Amino acid sequence: MEGIAFLLFLILNHMVHNSFKDCYKFYLKKYIKKLPDGIPTFLSTYFLSILILYICIGIFMWIFGSFYFEMFFDPRYYFEGLMAF
């Protein structure tokens, strides 16, 4: 079941990444001026979208479920909490 929760997380991340990809790229290029185009920009935007989604889902579960702040720092308990939600 953890694998299913993780796959749903990645699918949702892919949807979020494709929706906000240009926005992430614009702001990353604005604040990190030495970031080259190509693979480094793609990886940084993708990991930024994963981080934002990870935090947003965690805050949602923290407010509406039995989720503890300490679970943010341990992905295993994070996805177990997501699965239980």
Side-chain angles (χ1 to χ4, degrees), residues 2 5 9 12 15 21 25 32 37 42 45 50 52 54 56 64 72 77-80:
E2 280 184 38
F9 175 80
L12 187 59
M15 292 175 5
K21 178 174 49 177
K25 184 178 178 182
I32 304 174
D37 284 335
F42 171 75
T45 57
I50 286 176
I52 289 171
Y54 186 86
C56 289
F64 295 109
F72 272 113
Y77 293 120
Y78 178 90
F79 288 107
E80 284 178 5

Side-chain angles (χ1 to χ4, degrees), residues 7-37:
L7 285 175
L8 289 174
F9 175 80
L10 289 179
I11 290 169
L12 187 59
N13 177 58
H14 185 69
M15 292 175 5
V16 168
H17 176 73
N18 285 339
S19 299
F20 295 109
K21 178 174 49 177
D22 296 331
C23 182
Y24 293 152
K25 184 178 178 182
F26 173 76
Y27 283 109
L28 281 173
K29 294 296 270 180
K30 182 177 179 181
Y31 293 113
I32 304 174
K33 296 186 182 354
K34 294 184 180 183
L35 185 68
D37 284 335

Side-chain angles (χ1 to χ4, degrees), residues 31-60:
Y31 293 113
I32 304 174
K33 296 186 182 354
K34 294 184 180 183
L35 185 68
D37 284 335
I39 292 175
T41 302
F42 171 75
L43 290 176
S44 60
T45 57
Y46 198 77
F47 287 128
L48 182 62
S49 65
I50 286 176
L51 178 66
I52 289 171
L53 188 65
Y54 186 86
I55 291 170
C56 289
I57 290 175
I59 290 172
F60 177 80

